[in-house]
């Protein structure tokens, strides 16, 4: 059975109801206009309703894995295993910034645009407190 173009909207709504209004990948609520009817590009079969963004990401992952000559499912499992390893014993990358370091950097940039010394001093105090927390 092949869906006709005019049947897509109704089928997507039906499937979304069966999915309790949630994306089959991220499980977050899909709001009106965010839905995409996902399908397998190999078999052509409809799979589920996803957020448009989730659908796009899923397609890119498969494309990148195939393009590099890997089985997409095995490659994705390898990525998950890679992420799940414990790297606490290794050093930090020189480009990595903690959330606090990012906040300090943002405050320093903003401080340069301030006009009064009083405002600059408030920012300097915030930066000092953040640095002490590192």
């Amino acid at each position: 059975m092949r869906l006709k173009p005019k049947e897509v909207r109704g089928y997507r709504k039906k499937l979304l109801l069966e999915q309790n209004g949630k994306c089959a990948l991220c499980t977050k609520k899909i709001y009106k206009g965010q839905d995409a009817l996902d399908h397998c590009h190999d078999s052509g079969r409809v799979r589920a309703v996803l957020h448009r963004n989730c659908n796009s990401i899923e397609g890119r992952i498969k494309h990148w894995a195939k393009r590099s000559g890997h089985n997409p499912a095995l490659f994705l499992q390898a990525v998950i295993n890679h992420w799940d390893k414990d790297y606490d014993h290794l050093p930090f990358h020189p480009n990595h910034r903690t959330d606090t370091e990012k906040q300090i950097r943002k405050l320093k940039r903003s401080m340069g645009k301030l006009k009064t010394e009083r405002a600059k001093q408030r920012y300097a105090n915030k930066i000092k407190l953040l640095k002490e927390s590192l």
Side-chain angles (χ1 to χ4, degrees):
M1 174 181 127
R2 181 185 298 265
L3 286 175
K4 294 178 179 143
K6 66 181 181 178
E7 297 172 327
V8 170
R9 176 187 253 168
Y11 189 76
R12 185 174 54 229
K13 281 184 178 180
K14 176 184 173 274
L15 209 51
L16 190 56
L17 278 173
E18 290 173 11
Q19 293 173 206
N20 296 317
K22 296 180 180 180
C23 176
L25 287 182
C26 73
T27 69
K28 292 182 181 174
K29 183 173 174 48
I30 297 178
Y31 294 99
K32 187 176 180 178
Q34 292 180 339
D35 53 344
L37 188 61
D38 177 51
H39 70 283
C40 174
H41 284 252
D42 296 329
S43 71
R45 298 280 184 184
V46 171
R47 294 187 287 211
V49 179
L50 308 176
H51 284 108
R52 289 192 182 281
N53 194 41
C54 290
N55 189 46
S56 175
I57 291 167
E58 181 273 330
R60 286 181 192 161
I61 290 169
K62 186 169 184 178
H63 175 74
W64 290 333
K66 276 185 161 182
R67 192 175 70 198
S68 64
H70 299 289
N71 173 309
L74 294 176
F75 180 77
L76 192 52
Q77 188 58 55
V79 169
I80 291 166
N81 292 340
H82 180 67
W83 287 343
D84 285 345
K85 284 183 186 173
D86 180 10
Y87 298 104
D88 286 346
H89 63 286
L90 298 173
F92 288 99
H93 190 280
N95 294 345
H96 176 75
R97 300 289 177 262
T98 64
D99 289 340
T100 303
E101 289 170 325
K102 289 175 190 174
Q103 198 175 358
I104 290 169
R105 192 175 193 181
K106 188 176 179 181
L107 286 169
K108 283 182 178 180
R109 283 189 193 137
S110 298
M111 198 165 90
K113 298 174 188 173
L114 297 173
K115 301 209 184 300
T116 67
E117 282 305 314
R118 186 174 178 197
K120 288 180 183 181
Q121 189 57 50
R122 275 199 315 262
Y123 273 60
N125 290 340
K126 286 180 185 179
I127 291 168
K128 183 180 176 186
L129 286 172
L130 287 169
K131 283 184 176 181
E132 288 172 359
S133 72
L134 289 176

